[in-house]
Amino acid sequence: MVAALRPEQPVYCVRPHVLRETARHFVETFPGHVLYAVKCNAEPAFLDALHDGGIRHFDTASLPEISVVGELFADTQSYFMHPVKQRGAIRAAYGEHGVRHFVVDHPDELAKVLAETGAAPDVVIIVRLATARGAAVYDLGGKFGVSPIQAADLLRQAFAAGHRVGLSFHVGSQCLTPGSYTAALRLAAHTLDLARIPLSVIDVGGGFPVAYVGLYPPPLEDYVDAIHAGLARLDLPEDCELWCEPGRALVAAGASLVVRVELRRDNFLYINDGIYGSLSDLKHAGLRFPMRVLRPVGDRVEVITENLAEFSLFGPTCDAVDMMEGPYRLAADAREGDYIEIGQAGAYTLELRTDFNGFCPDNFVEVGDDAFLPTADMEPCPFLSAAAE
Ligand SMILES: Cc1ncc(COP(=O)(O)O)c(C=O)c1O
């Protein structure tokens, strides 16, 4: 791609075969419905590849997300998993898009959903439970979810109104400990003890992690074992459905981002994408994405993985906050005109873009090579980092 295009702007290199294979593995390994969390990456090329890999259920949080899925596929189901919804969106989701499952975590939201759907008997109410902060990079518990006592009240209220009900939670994104799911299911068991009604759905949410530099999570199979261990404590009806809502785990490896170095100042590289573009996770979550320098030489491109030094990166905007400290191990002689391939760039990158200062990456090409994943030699050297402080 770099040899052929020498792009001036950042380019997302999409790997549909990786997306298909990742989806297939997840669907085969998880013993229930896999709802892809559309918020993570809603580009049609990604959705198409996931669909090819067997994804038929979509966790959607807004009417535009529901519409994107509905326009692409005729054999899928969307679920309205945002606990706070606009009334018009509820009406359209139910009436025009065939959505039947709605998440709530407040009595007023339950009343809203029932009012806007005419309390139709086929509406299924999923109550979101708050979970303790575990070893997740992003905690989502502070904003959404209720205690077991409040969840039990909501479940009973919806059930008494004639609806099938479910429980959901989210242990936090990039959750590194499978035991967090077991612990959350313990809370679900406590909630059911209080509610004493049959559950139609238990949804263990998203949070399944991927590898970044220095972060190598256990395999998906360990998470499934932990979920089985948690489910064993729950007294569930035979026909209760098990769901999960992965985002990051399905799409991260499905794209690299190729950026260009515009200037080197000491060990700072000024590149053409940053935290207001695709790379906010590098700043806000401190995640170290795998990176390597691609250097055009004549009509070839050298991939430089030796003689590395530690760099920080500046994004293209005028804001001094637009900086990614790293450190990132890149070619010691990195310079203007070099490209940097950033791997694991399919999740929470292009969805979070802004066009602040006129910079908005929007170029896509399809590539057929292997996913670019982190390796141990990308980890910063502790001696060098300490010396720099
Ligand atoms: C309700 C819900 N489900 C699923 C996800 C996807 O999470 P992840 O990408 O960590 O799997 C999110 C992410 O914010 C979420 O809020």
Side-chain angles (χ1 to χ4, degrees):
M1 189 287 288
V2 169
L5 302 178
R6 303 276 181 110
E8 292 246 313
Q9 305 300 330
V11 177
Y12 298 104
C13 298
V14 186
R15 299 186 172 94
H17 61 293
V18 172
L19 293 162
R20 275 196 298 275
E21 212 31 64
T22 310
R24 200 166 292 136
H25 176 242
F26 212 109
V27 168
E28 282 169 5
T29 308
F30 185 80
H33 287 347
V34 178
L35 283 59
Y36 168 60
V38 174
K39 62 180 76 69
C40 190
N41 188 330
E43 271 294 312
F46 287 74
L47 297 176
D48 267 336
L50 294 176
H51 183 262
D52 288 347
I55 297 291
R56 293 291 179 273
H57 306 272
F58 291 89
D59 154 13
T60 47
S62 66
L63 208 47
E65 287 187 358
I66 292 168
S67 299
V68 166
V69 173
E71 279 160 23
L72 285 174
F73 312 117
D75 59 349
T76 60
Q77 182 65 50
S78 288
Y79 304 77
F80 212 150
M81 305 307 280
H82 196 309
V84 184
K85 295 166 282 302
Q86 293 165 345
R87 285 181 179 272
I90 297 169
R91 278 198 303 277
Y94 183 84
E96 295 163 29
H97 297 277
V99 174
R100 294 295 175 263
H101 300 80
F102 296 84
V103 163
V104 304
D105 68 356
H106 193 279
D108 291 352
E109 186 72 12
L110 174 59
K112 201 200 283 179
V113 170
L114 297 187
E116 299 307 328
T117 56
D122 58 353
V123 166
V124 182
I125 299 294
I126 313 286
V127 175
R128 171 107 169 234
L129 200 51
T131 56
R133 178 164 194 157
V137 169
Y138 281 104
D139 178 29
L140 301 169
K143 185 165 178 181
F144 298 120
V146 286
S147 70
I149 292 176
Q150 293 164 318
D153 277 350
L154 284 167
L155 286 172
R156 272 199 304 259
Q157 224 178 302
F159 189 70
H163 298 280
R164 292 196 297 135
V165 293
L167 258 186
S168 75
F169 54 79
H170 197 301
V171 295
S173 198
Q174 183 69 3
C175 175
L176 297 168
T177 50
S180 299
Y181 291 83
T182 319
L185 285 165
R186 219 173 288 136
L187 276 186
H190 179 46
T191 308
L192 278 190
D193 284 346
L194 297 170
R196 301 203 165 281
I197 51 165
L199 216 54
S200 295
V201 174
I202 180 85
D203 172 10
V204 300
F208 302 92
V210 300
Y212 294 100
V213 175
L215 283 184
Y216 305 100
L220 177 59
E221 286 74 3
D222 289 12
Y223 288 80
V224 170
D225 288 347
I227 289 164
H228 274 307
L231 288 174
R233 298 161 191 248
L234 283 164
D235 187 16
L236 296 172
E238 284 244 315
D239 60 352
C240 179
E241 293 177 4
L242 173 66
W243 300 355
C244 65
E245 307 166 15
R248 188 185 302 275
L250 288 180
V251 291
S256 288
L257 176 69
V258 173
V259 300
R260 198 170 72 159
V261 177
E262 304 297 353
L263 183 80
R264 174 174 181 167
R265 185 197 303 275
D266 304 322
N267 274 27
F268 288 96
L269 300 176
Y270 291 70
I271 59 174
N272 60 356
D273 200 358
I275 70 159
Y276 293 101
S278 318
L279 301 176
S280 60
D281 258 6
L282 272 65
K283 176 105 188 168
H284 302 308
L287 294 174
R288 290 204 189 102
F289 287 40
M291 295 187 192
R292 61 187 172 197
V293 165
L294 311 178
R295 176 169 298 156
V297 180
D299 54 4
R300 291 180 308 110
V301 168
E302 276 177 13
V303 181
I304 304 177
T305 54
E306 288 175 351
N307 296 327
L308 307 181
E310 298 190 354
F311 292 90
S312 296
L313 306 175
F314 277 119
T317 68
C318 297
D319 191 343
V321 167
D322 193 2
M323 188 243 196
M324 296 145 283
E325 196 169 347
Y328 305 100
R329 281 174 67 71
L330 293 163
D333 62 348
R335 53 188 182 241
E336 190 211 341
D338 281 347
Y339 291 87
I340 301 174
E341 179 179 5
I342 304 176
Q344 299 287 56
Y348 302 111
T349 47
L350 51 103
E351 286 306 318
L352 298 171
R353 282 170 298 178
T354 72
D355 62 358
F356 177 45
N357 252 187
F359 299 102
C360 188
D362 198 31
N363 299 300
F364 295 81
V365 297
E366 206 177 295
V367 295
D369 60 348
D370 290 344
F372 174 39
L373 300 174
T375 50
D377 58 346
M378 295 175 189
E379 283 174 40
C381 165
F383 307 114
L384 279 180
S385 304
E389 276 167 11

